[in-house]
Structure formats: structure tokens, C-alpha cells
Amino acid sequence: MTVEKAKLLVEHGADVHALSARTDRRLWSGLMNAAHEGQWEMAGFFLDHGVDPAYATPDGKTVGQIVATNPSAPEGALLTRLSGHQTSHPSPRTT
């Protein structure tokens, strides 16, 4: 998905805090999925829209762990944001 499509979806009510129902990525945030796929522009989009980089799945998986295993991981400011520990929004919801 492109950032342009994501913006359009959000404008029409899409919830950026929704969690994945996929069996292989159960309860992952959109941010986690973007990091897993190396979609760093999308990862920035999710961060810009308040998705918490400190969110952990019930089994303890975090976006920081996902980034650490991705060979295309970004450097600099985005990496710092992906490693954040602030919680500034309500708990994510499952879709």
C-alpha cells in the first residue's frame, strides 16, 4: 500500500490503530507490518498518525524487534522514532 492510499483510507474513517487478524502476524499493528515489509515511508505514516512504537503483542513482539531483524532497516531519525517508548494514544483495536 502507498502512503497516498493510506491517507485516503484514513480520510474515510480507517483506523490506523487496528490490529492484524492474520494468523502469521496475529495482533500486529500496521506499523509492525510496515517494518516487517521494509515499507519505511508507511512506517513513518503510522508514526505520524500516533501508532505507538512501544506496543507489544501478547507474546511480547515489538516493532523494535522486527526492525532489528530487517536487513533494510533505516538509520537516523526514523530508526529513533521506531525505537520510541512513549504511549500517547488509546489501546489498539483488533479488526
Side-chain angles (χ1 to χ4, degrees):
M1 176 180 301
T2 66
V3 170
E4 291 76 24
K5 287 180 185 176
K7 286 179 183 177
L8 184 62
L9 289 170
V10 168
E11 287 173 11
H12 287 85
D15 182 5
V16 296
H17 301 290
L19 299 175
S20 175
R22 288 177 56 145
T23 57
D24 63 333
R25 297 183 200 164
R26 184 109 178 101
L27 301 178
W28 280 27
S29 68
L31 175 59
M32 295 169 98
N33 280 302
H36 177 76
E37 297 297 327
Q39 297 176 343
W40 306 118
E41 187 176 3
M42 277 302 302
F45 172 84
F46 282 114
L47 290 168
D48 291 344
H49 284 80
V51 175
D52 186 358
Y55 165 74
T57 62
D59 65 353
K61 187 77 141 179
T62 66
V63 73
Q65 292 169 336
I66 295 166
V67 170
T69 62
N70 189 320
S72 73
E75 296 180 0
L78 180 58
L79 181 58
T80 300
R81 291 178 68 201
L82 287 167
S83 302
H85 298 287
Q86 67 277 17
T87 54
S88 59
H89 65 81
S91 297
R93 294 180 290 280
T94 305
T95 58

